[in-house]
Amino acid sequence: MTYSVTKTKLKYILKSYVDEEGFDADGIGDYTYVAERYQSFDSKEEILSYLQKNIWYDDRKTKPNFNTIKEYCDTFEFELFERTEKYD
């Protein structure tokens, strides 16, 4: 009898909302809309490091001084998901 072992690893998905620009040649021309963005990370530490380096307040002069992903999620309406991926 042989057994097949499926290996899995945990990935983290960070969902955020970003402003995007579009163009409608038949109507209003340039416009802005809100789009969902999903980013994949291998660890929570990687997410926190990314957020601490890349997230600014709207004035683009100051960064939040947060120590947890939850603080970023609560303040900036990010969502965090865990995903199990299979690999060989």
Side-chain angles (χ1 to χ4, degrees):
M1 181 185 281
T2 60
Y3 292 97
S4 175
V5 177
T6 303
K7 297 177 183 178
T8 61
K9 61 182 174 180
L10 197 57
K11 298 288 267 187
Y12 298 92
I13 310 299
L14 184 67
K15 177 183 173 184
S16 60
Y17 296 94
V18 296
D19 292 335
E20 297 282 345
E21 293 181 4
F23 180 76
D24 180 2
D26 295 328
I28 61 173
D30 291 329
Y31 63 94
T32 302
Y33 63 97
V34 176
E36 294 175 345
R37 176 180 290 161
Y38 296 89
Q39 295 171 272
S40 178
F41 297 89
D42 293 322
S43 69
K44 289 183 178 180
E45 292 80 12
E46 185 181 357
I47 295 170
L48 183 57
S49 176
Y50 168 82
L51 293 170
Q52 289 172 331
K53 290 178 187 173
N54 295 292
I55 301 303
W56 297 78
Y57 286 113
D58 285 338
D59 64 8
R60 298 292 298 159
K61 295 178 184 175
T62 56
K63 289 183 179 185
N65 187 23
F66 296 150
N67 294 316
T68 67
I69 296 170
K70 183 176 181 349
E71 290 173 294
Y72 283 97
C73 289
D74 291 346
T75 303
F76 296 101
E77 298 182 6
F78 298 139
E79 294 179 57
L80 180 63
F81 302 94
E82 293 181 353
R83 177 179 179 175
T84 303
E85 292 185 349
K86 296 178 185 178
Y87 70 96
D88 295 327

